[in-house]
């Protein structure tokens, strides 16, 4: 009886964020198809029953995982906007991304190829990201077309970095350095 009570208390101690964090780790390491209740239970060292305290089913968990990923963009933009200059905003953005980690970014893109709802959420998030970057470049004095091109170039550089992260690579450049270099190339030297 004591063992059952302890397990129930342990199940209640895990938060929804704990499950989502474990799901994010599994997704980034093995892809979204590996995000399963059994796998996460083993990862967290709890029973599967603990999962159902927080989620109805796997689809509910995956929806939460997608929203967690999407909400990180809002947080990053809000934090970067605390800086005053466009160059400092861009530098801080990349610094924060490096600190937060980019785990799961490439998995989201792969998942979007398999799921229409994920593809729509990805488009929504990418529009938001590009709009923020474009605003930075407009604020730095670039005309609309050049601001849009610079925004896309920065975003594509980030995606390239995200897709290479965790793989054997010949690249030494860190994400912080990438942000600083992009700021120098696109904003500081041209404005």
């Amino acid at each position: 009886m004591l063992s059952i009570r302890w397990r129930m208390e342990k199940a209640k101690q895990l938060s929804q964020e704990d499950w989502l964090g474990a799901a994010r780790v599994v997704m980034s390491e093995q892809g979204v198809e590996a995000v399963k209740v059994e796998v996460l239970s083993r990862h967290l060292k709890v029973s599967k029953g603990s999962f159902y305290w927080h989620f109805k089913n796997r689809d509910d968990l995956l929806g939460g995982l997608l929203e967690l990923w999407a909400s990180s963009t809002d947080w990053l933009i809000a934090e970067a906007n605390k800086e005053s200059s466009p160059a400092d905003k861009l530098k801080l953005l990349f610094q924060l991304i490096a600190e937060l980690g980019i785990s799961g970014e490439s998995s989201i893109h792969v998942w979007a190829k398999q799921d229409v709802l994920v593809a729509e959420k990805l488009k929504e998030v990418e529009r938001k990201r590009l709009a923020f970057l474009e605003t930075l470049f407009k604020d730095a004095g670039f005309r609309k077309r050049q601001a849009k091109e610079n925004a896309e170039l920065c975003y594509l550089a980030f995606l390239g970095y995200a897709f290479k992260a965790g793989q054997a690579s010949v690249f030494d450049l860190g994400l912080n350095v990438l942000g600083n270099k992009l700021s120098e190339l696109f904003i500081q030297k041209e404005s």
Side-chain angles (χ1 to χ4, degrees):
M1 186 69 169
L2 183 61
S3 172
I4 292 171
R5 190 175 315 133
W6 179 83
R7 277 189 252 142
M8 288 178 67
E9 287 175 16
K10 176 91 170 147
K12 290 179 185 177
Q13 288 175 356
L14 279 179
S15 68
Q16 188 176 44
E17 289 76 25
D18 294 326
W19 283 96
L20 289 170
R24 187 175 183 180
V25 168
V26 170
M27 180 183 70
S28 67
E29 292 175 355
Q30 302 171 42
V32 73
E33 60 281 344
V35 178
K36 297 180 180 166
V37 178
E38 298 82 18
V39 173
L40 298 176
S41 297
R42 281 194 305 272
H43 183 82
L44 293 167
K45 298 179 177 144
V46 295
S47 71
K48 290 191 299 184
S50 170
F51 172 84
Y52 295 103
W53 283 98
H54 305 290
F55 300 96
K56 291 182 237 172
N57 52 38
R58 180 177 182 263
D59 287 340
D60 190 27
L61 170 75
L62 292 177
L65 184 59
L66 186 61
E67 286 305 315
L68 175 67
W69 169 79
S71 69
S72 67
T73 292
D74 296 328
W75 180 82
L76 286 164
I77 289 171
E79 289 298 307
N81 271 326
K82 291 179 180 178
E83 289 292 340
S84 55
S85 76
D88 289 341
K89 287 179 183 185
L90 186 59
K91 286 179 185 179
L92 181 58
L93 176 66
F94 274 84
Q95 177 186 338
L96 291 171
I97 292 169
E99 290 171 10
L100 183 64
I102 53 176
S103 64
E105 188 71 29
S106 60
S107 296
I108 294 287
H109 286 261
V110 171
W111 186 13
K113 290 179 182 179
Q114 304 161 359
D115 187 310
V116 163
L117 295 176
V118 176
E120 285 303 313
K121 181 58 87 172
L122 176 60
K123 284 180 192 174
E124 175 188 320
V125 168
E126 286 191 319
R127 282 187 202 106
K128 195 178 291 186
R129 290 173 174 179
L130 286 167
F132 173 70
L133 290 169
E134 189 173 340
T135 298
L136 285 182
F137 291 114
K138 285 178 184 173
D139 290 349
F142 289 91
R143 292 187 180 157
K144 185 175 180 169
R145 181 172 178 233
Q146 188 63 48
K148 185 175 183 341
E149 288 175 2
N150 286 356
E152 289 179 5
L153 286 167
C154 278
Y155 189 65
L156 289 170
F158 161 73
L159 285 179
Y161 190 94
F163 274 84
K164 288 303 289 177
Q167 300 176 12
S169 177
V170 298
F171 302 106
D172 294 328
L173 197 63
L175 196 53
N176 268 347
V177 176
L178 177 63
N180 290 339
K181 294 292 182 186
L182 289 170
S183 176
E184 288 172 19
L185 284 169
F186 292 121
I187 296 178
Q188 293 173 347
K189 289 189 178 173
E190 300 223 12
S191 50

